[in-house]
Amino acid sequence: RKIKMSEIIERYKDKVSTLPKQESWMNNHVYKYQGFWYHQGFWYHSNASFSVEAIMATQDDFKAKPTDVFLASHPKSGTTWLKALVFAIMTRTKFKSGFSSSSTHPLLTISPHDCVPFIETESFLNNPAYANGLMATHIPYNSLPESIVSSNCRIVYICRNPKDVFVSYWHFMNKVRDNASASIKLKDVFEMFSSGISPVGPFWDHVIGYRKASLERPDKVLFLNYEELQKDANNEVKKLAKFVGYPFTEEEEATGRVEELINLCSFEKLKEANKANKDGDETSNVLSNEFFFRKANVTKDEEKSRKEKMSEIIERYKEKVSTLPMQE
Ligand code: A3P
């Protein structure tokens, strides 16, 4: 049954009205529910809403099956990439022509978000993709619908350097904000983000919840890093495939299937496939698929780059130093 959003807002009106409230990023408020901040009232565009009512409705209505796989993340941590990778892994025998340019693979034409729906936005919107056993969520671990944990479902969490998450989030929010509202200033929201006040924040608590779960239930919760995935995609993707129950065979590995799959899900490929605003017209504020592909950079570790600089300087003056008088 397709449940109307207005019905859900109405259903949780009283509950929401008792929650702590705080000024937030978009000239509106966030509400604290079970330790995390959320927008209220389905926000500005319906298909990207992680509103507090959506979380409550998901907790009340969503029933997981033991075979379901969930991809969890804090927004802007690599959700889209993870969705593409796991979708490609789990469907790789279905799309016979493989990943070549003549392939009919869905990821070449549709957004990873249409292949793997979010439970909190789609479970009550009747998305046809929502039944194939692979779903995503931004809900913090301790607020997940009870059946996900009690049914022992597998969960993959992706974590990213907070600096890159924050910058990515800020750019994203400015793209999707209501035309009428002023652009969000980085310095205004930096303090908020740092003190934990951001939609689906505090960031750190989000990460810690899943990190702890992955240590306690390693066979059910896999914890991945965006940076590690960039650095060693081959190893991480093989690990991922094994965890979700679709390991690569020796033959697949030998014939380059892992690399093909990584290439299909690469930032460049997905960005190209999602160029056109397929979700709506340019003038409306409907979330555009291309908003999910910006730069995909990894901020360099400062300590590491400092060390690199030092060794460059040592190298530069090595010969000069070698000519100097020396003393014990
Ligand atoms: P940047 O804004 O830093 O470029 P999410 O999918 O969780 O919303 O995260 C979006 C971030 O992931 C964006 O980061 C986006 O560019 C990056 N991203 C999207 N697709 C990617 C891919 N295939 N590989 C690596 N990064 C990707």
Side-chain angles (χ1 to χ4, degrees):
R1 186 168 88 91
K2 188 165 180 156
I3 303 172
K4 289 236 178 66
M5 292 179 185
S6 52
E7 270 175 43
I8 290 176
I9 293 176
E10 191 55 36
R11 201 204 296 175
Y12 296 106
K13 210 170 70 185
D14 291 343
K15 199 169 169 182
V16 172
S17 72
T18 63
L19 300 177
K21 193 170 146 183
Q22 170 86 41
E23 211 38 43
S24 177
W25 289 32
M26 310 275 294
N27 297 329
N28 58 13
H29 291 93
V30 282
Y31 292 75
K32 197 174 200 173
Y33 177 59
Q34 300 181 339
F36 288 83
W37 296 100
Y38 303 96
H39 286 281
Q40 175 270 330
F42 288 97
W43 206 10
Y44 45 93
H45 40 63
S46 56
N47 62 347
S49 177
F50 300 100
S51 79
V52 68
E53 295 94 339
I55 308 295
M56 291 172 175
T58 310
Q59 289 178 333
D60 286 344
D61 298 346
F62 184 80
K63 292 279 170 290
K65 293 198 268 321
T67 48
D68 288 341
V69 174
F70 295 89
L71 310 179
S73 61
H74 180 281
K76 302 298 122 196
S77 301
T79 320
T80 317
W81 191 15
L82 184 65
K83 281 184 176 189
L85 286 169
V86 180
F87 179 77
I89 287 169
M90 289 172 72
T91 59
R92 71 183 185 275
T93 53
K94 218 161 132 187
F95 302 105
K96 287 214 168 59
S97 41
F99 306 119
S100 67
S101 52
S102 62
S103 151
T104 54
H105 200 285
L107 286 173
L108 295 173
T109 48
I110 66 170
S111 162
H113 293 291
D114 293 328
C115 302
V116 185
F118 285 109
I119 52 171
E120 58 271 34
T121 62
E122 313 262 2
S123 60
F124 40 85
L125 293 180
N126 272 0
N127 184 322
Y130 164 76
N132 68 7
L134 176 61
M135 287 155 273
T137 186
H138 286 320
I139 301 178
Y141 186 77
N142 286 332
S143 294
L144 284 174
E146 192 267 331
S147 61
I148 295 183
V149 178
S150 65
S151 306
N152 257 325
C153 296
R154 270 166 295 188
I155 302 170
V156 182
Y157 185 79
I158 186 157
C159 162
R160 187 181 184 190
N161 169 353
K163 242 195 263 179
D164 293 338
V165 168
F166 171 68
V167 172
S168 181
Y169 214 173
W170 172 69
H171 279 289
F172 183 78
M173 289 298 204
N174 268 328
K175 275 188 211 148
V176 300
R177 89 197 138 81
D178 192 320
N179 278 337
S181 61
S183 68
I184 305 163
K185 299 270 181 301
L186 189 88
K187 67 172 173 43
D188 293 345
V189 290
F190 177 70
E191 289 303 327
M192 280 191 200
F193 184 84
S194 306
S195 59
I197 302 158
S198 58
V200 206
F203 169 81
W204 292 269
D205 292 349
H206 202 283
V207 175
I208 287 168
Y210 281 95
R211 180 68 186 155
K212 262 180 77 182
S214 77
L215 297 173
E216 286 160 12
R217 306 168 59 226
D219 52 332
K220 295 297 169 194
V221 184
L222 177 69
F223 191 92
L224 296 180
N225 277 302
Y226 180 93
E227 293 75 21
E228 203 51 42
L229 208 47
Q230 290 253 19
K231 213 163 66 188
D232 190 2
N234 197 292
N235 193 37
E236 294 298 291
V237 165
K238 282 194 282 195
K239 189 159 79 181
L240 191 51
K242 198 168 161 203
F243 180 80
V244 297
Y246 290 76
F248 285 96
T249 62
E250 273 180 26
E251 193 196 330
E252 281 180 311
E253 284 187 25
T255 53
R257 289 288 277 176
V258 183
E259 290 75 13
E260 262 175 22
L261 191 144
I262 292 167
N263 183 35
L264 173 79
C265 301
S266 70
F267 176 71
E268 292 72 23
K269 276 269 156 61
L270 291 184
K271 186 173 177 146
E272 185 59 36
N274 288 273
K275 236 177 185 163
N277 186 355
K278 296 185 182 107
D279 266 354
D281 65 86
E282 302 287 339
T283 51
S284 74
N285 257 312
V286 175
L287 193 67
S288 166
N289 288 334
E290 60 189 331
F291 291 173
F292 290 93
F293 308 92
R294 196 181 59 90
K295 283 189 164 173
N297 283 347
V298 171
T299 298
K300 248 193 164 179
D301 185 317
E302 272 163 28
E303 180 63 17
K304 210 169 119 203
S305 50
R306 217 159 56 95
K307 277 189 190 143
E308 271 170 19
K309 263 197 207 117
M310 282 197 245
S311 46
E312 263 173 44
I313 290 176
I314 294 175
E315 189 58 33
R316 195 193 321 164
Y317 296 108
K318 206 169 75 183
E319 290 190 357
K320 198 167 171 184
V321 171
S322 74
T323 64
L324 300 178
M326 203 167 102
Q327 170 76 47
E328 188 79 8

